[in-house]
Amino acid sequence: MAELIFHHYATSPFSEKIRLIMGYKKLTWKSVVVPQIMPKPDYVTLTGGYRRVPVLQIGADIYCDTALICDVLEHLTPLPSLYPEPGKGLSRVVAQWADSSLFWAAMAYNLSGKGAAEVFAKAPPEAAKAFGEDRKAMSTNMVRLRPGDATSAYKSYLRRLSDMLDDTDYLLGGYPTVADFACYHPLWFTRKRTPSMAEILQLTPAVVDWLDRMAGIGHGTMETFDEAQAFEVARASIPHTLLSDSTFQDDHGIPLGSHVTITAESFGPEPTDGELIAATRTHYTLRRTGERFGTVHVHFPRIGYVLRKVEG
């Protein structure tokens, strides 16, 4: 099996989503810990500008966004499946809702008042200020929920999850799907990073029991690695995407071979630039070349990202 190099940090909720999926699929992976906030010189050099965490590196292929990373891991290890039939489409829809609406309500709640104080209790004051400024810069295209609105939304979403668990161990049946992993990680942050805010979870005992089942999956087998080693792997490898679809789907009038940028629609406005070499039903791929990493292919999901041609 291809060597999995996972760029992440311990307290990242979206990283926890993928760590748990790698545990579910019983994978062995190499852990590269990256900074929580900018500057991230090695990380953005490898990705071409993308600074959101995590990314999955396999040789000279860099997969951005956990939605796409899930598809790659499913291709590598089809069983147990994240997208079992007959609810394959439903599991993706629930996961997309969880990674957006549920996540932002949960994080606005988690980092309000005493939650934020708890996260930074052992850090110097300048650390909290730097984190706030970093996330503000990433949120220029977003409307953030106020704490009271976030609390109300979070309570409602937890009740919906509880209703889904009325007579089953997992959200869509007797085994986890991608929906479970996507719904788990913002609640994991509440429980593990802001325990003073976790009383909200006690309103839905079925959700608490489900959280325990999910946590029991574990993270697979982790080996430590560093950014210098990751660059060496990229430089010594030939890009070879593991994504199954390859048919060009032109919705923008931008031909393959064009110099383009790809930017997240909302959170994280920094563009990645490169040569467009794939635009399929599910993903975009850019080719990038640099002295430190050789030639890499950087992959993005189609949903949630904006493609623009660089003129001139």
Side-chain angles (χ1 to χ4, degrees):
M1 179 180 292
E3 187 174 67
L4 306 179
I5 303 173
F6 190 54
H7 300 252
H8 69 124
Y9 58 86
T11 59
S12 160
F14 279 96
S15 296
E16 179 65 13
K17 171 186 172 183
I18 300 301
R19 291 189 293 253
L20 205 63
I21 288 173
M22 291 192 288
Y24 185 53
K25 291 182 175 288
K26 295 180 169 45
L27 296 172
T28 297
W29 52 282
K30 296 187 181 298
S31 168
V32 177
V33 176
V34 301
Q36 187 173 0
I37 64 173
M38 294 292 269
K40 306 178 183 183
D42 289 331
Y43 190 75
V44 299
T45 295
L46 186 64
T47 64
Y50 183 81
R51 51 85 51 100
R52 285 162 51 171
V53 174
V55 301
L56 177 66
Q57 176 187 350
I58 303 177
D61 287 276
I62 313 299
Y63 298 95
C64 302
D65 196 291
T66 61
L68 189 63
I69 294 171
C70 287
D71 287 345
V72 172
L73 294 178
E74 184 79 355
H75 177 86
L76 283 172
T77 309
L79 295 175
S81 178
L82 299 176
Y83 314 103
E85 299 289 3
K88 181 177 180 179
L90 178 59
S91 66
R92 287 186 182 274
V93 169
V94 174
Q96 188 176 354
W97 164 80
D99 284 342
S100 52
S101 298
L102 173 61
F103 176 80
W104 289 115
M107 294 308 289
Y109 169 82
N110 293 334
L111 296 177
S112 63
K114 61 183 180 180
E118 187 170 32
V119 167
F120 296 104
K122 297 180 181 180
E126 57 269 23
K129 181 179 179 181
F131 180 87
E133 292 175 348
D134 182 84
R135 292 308 189 260
K136 182 179 179 181
M138 294 183 74
S139 307
T140 54
N141 297 326
M142 293 181 60
V143 176
R144 304 295 292 270
L145 287 171
R146 296 174 299 177
D149 296 329
T151 300
S152 296
Y154 197 15
K155 287 179 179 177
S156 294
Y157 294 157
L158 289 170
R159 285 193 294 270
R160 293 177 189 179
L161 295 178
S162 182
D163 289 343
M164 296 171 73
L165 294 163
D166 273 347
D167 56 1
T168 187
D169 284 345
Y170 299 97
L171 296 176
L172 299 180
Y175 35 77
T177 71
V178 71
D180 292 273
F181 295 100
C183 290
Y184 173 81
H185 67 91
L187 280 61
W188 165 85
F189 193 95
T190 305
R191 205 180 200 191
K192 296 298 183 181
R193 296 293 298 144
T194 58
S196 66
M197 306 293 285
E199 68 272 9
I200 196 171
L201 302 175
Q202 302 306 316
L203 301 173
T204 49
V207 172
V208 173
D209 291 342
W210 167 78
L211 285 169
D212 290 338
R213 286 191 290 274
M214 292 295 294
I217 292 172
H219 292 161
T221 303
M222 183 196 77
E223 302 174 4
T224 59
F225 216 53
D226 62 34
E227 290 177 312
Q229 291 172 299
F231 273 90
E232 290 175 7
V233 169
R235 192 168 53 247
S237 302
I238 298 173
H240 177 70
T241 181
L242 294 172
L243 299 168
S244 57
D245 60 330
S246 59
T247 303
F248 179 47
Q249 181 171 308
D250 181 15
D251 295 329
H252 302 85
I254 301 176
L256 298 181
S258 298
H259 182 196
V260 300
T261 62
I262 293 178
T263 309
E265 288 179 353
S266 55
F267 189 63
E270 296 83 3
T272 295
D273 76 288
E275 177 192 355
L276 182 68
I277 61 171
T280 76
R281 178 178 58 85
T282 63
H283 72 279
Y284 300 116
T285 298
L286 302 185
R287 179 188 288 122
R288 303 189 61 258
T289 301
E291 182 177 348
R292 293 185 62 195
F293 52 78
T295 296
V296 296
H297 290 178
V298 186
H299 309 274
F300 295 86
R302 195 145 184 151
I303 293 176
Y305 291 82
V306 177
L307 175 69
R308 294 187 176 93
K309 186 174 182 180
V310 177
E311 302 297 340

